[in-house]
Amino acid sequence: METTVIPLSKTKTFLLLLGSLGFVIAGIFFIAMPDHFTSYRMPFWQVIFATGIVAVLFFGLCAVFIFKKLLCKSDGLHIDHTGIIDNSTAVSVGFIPWSDIEDIQTVRTAGQAFVAVYVRKPEHYIERQPGSFARKVLRSQYKNFGTPVYISANTLRINHKQLENLLKTAFREQNPTKAER
């Protein structure tokens, strides 16, 4: 098997950063002037104020992680005969040997498509995360979708369909008996 390296897309990552910062700015306006955003549909300024706080906290945290990814010099995804090295998101799991992979499928949630990598020991990938926030995110993914390992094309120089085909082809080559299911 040939080694395939997919770099991070600085353009896609930068656009994600701009989007996050836009929501932070909107949240600041909701906090600073909630009464300007009231209407007959939303007459309560308190709800708008609370929405602003949530937007600033959530999208501010997203912006921090995206900015770190923008400065990252390592490859986004590395695929070879030993396995996959995932560095595509803020909560990437790193190295996944082919022997740990049970299946690869596309999962759609909130209008986004992800490549779900189903692994034999999901807790292993959760517990090796250095931060408690990353462990919580992976635990949530595992609880909701059956695996903590998701690879998104959102920050990679590849589209989702190409990523899915590449990973499934490599999986079939390395695990012909598992891929037949």
Side-chain angles (χ1 to χ4, degrees):
M1 165 177 208
E2 279 186 41
T3 298
T4 304
V5 175
I6 303 169
L8 292 168
S9 170
K10 298 300 182 186
T11 303
K12 287 181 180 180
T13 308
F14 183 72
L15 291 173
L16 287 171
L17 179 63
L18 286 179
S20 290
L21 292 176
F23 279 108
V24 168
I25 291 167
I28 291 170
F29 278 110
F30 282 10
I31 293 168
M33 302 178 296
D35 51 328
H36 284 70
F37 298 97
T38 57
S39 69
Y40 72 93
R41 287 186 183 180
M42 180 49 61
F44 306 108
W45 69 266
Q46 295 90 340
V47 174
I48 294 169
F49 182 82
T51 302
I53 290 172
V54 170
V56 168
L57 293 175
F58 177 75
F59 288 105
L61 187 60
C62 288
V64 168
F65 284 121
I66 294 168
F67 184 72
K68 284 183 181 180
K69 194 54 64 180
L70 193 60
L71 298 177
C72 185
K73 300 287 184 209
S74 60
D75 296 320
L77 198 64
H78 183 101
I79 305 165
D80 65 18
H81 69 283
T82 61
I84 302 167
I85 301 173
D86 174 31
N87 184 38
S88 61
T89 65
V91 290
S92 300
V93 297
F95 179 65
I96 311 161
W98 290 116
S99 59
D100 275 5
I101 299 174
E102 293 291 321
D103 196 10
I104 294 176
Q105 299 177 6
T106 287
V107 173
R108 295 189 187 282
T109 181
Q112 288 286 325
F114 299 91
V115 177
V117 180
Y118 293 88
V119 291
R120 286 189 312 117
K121 299 178 243 170
E123 284 295 326
H124 167 74
Y125 293 93
I126 294 169
E127 292 307 318
R128 75 181 191 188
Q129 290 296 310
S132 64
F133 177 75
R135 284 192 297 275
K136 286 178 184 174
V137 169
L138 293 185
R139 243 187 252 318
S140 173
Q141 290 177 176
Y142 178 45
K143 179 182 169 191
N144 292 321
F145 304 107
T147 182
V149 185
Y150 284 85
I151 302 173
S152 171
N154 287 348
T155 59
L156 298 172
R157 285 192 203 160
I158 192 170
N159 69 42
H160 171 76
K161 197 65 182 165
Q162 292 169 325
L163 175 64
E164 176 188 30
N165 290 338
L166 179 67
L167 289 172
K168 284 184 174 184
T169 300
F171 177 63
R172 280 192 300 271
E173 285 177 15
Q174 298 302 315
N175 299 290
T177 56
K178 287 182 186 177
E180 288 175 5
R181 289 188 236 157

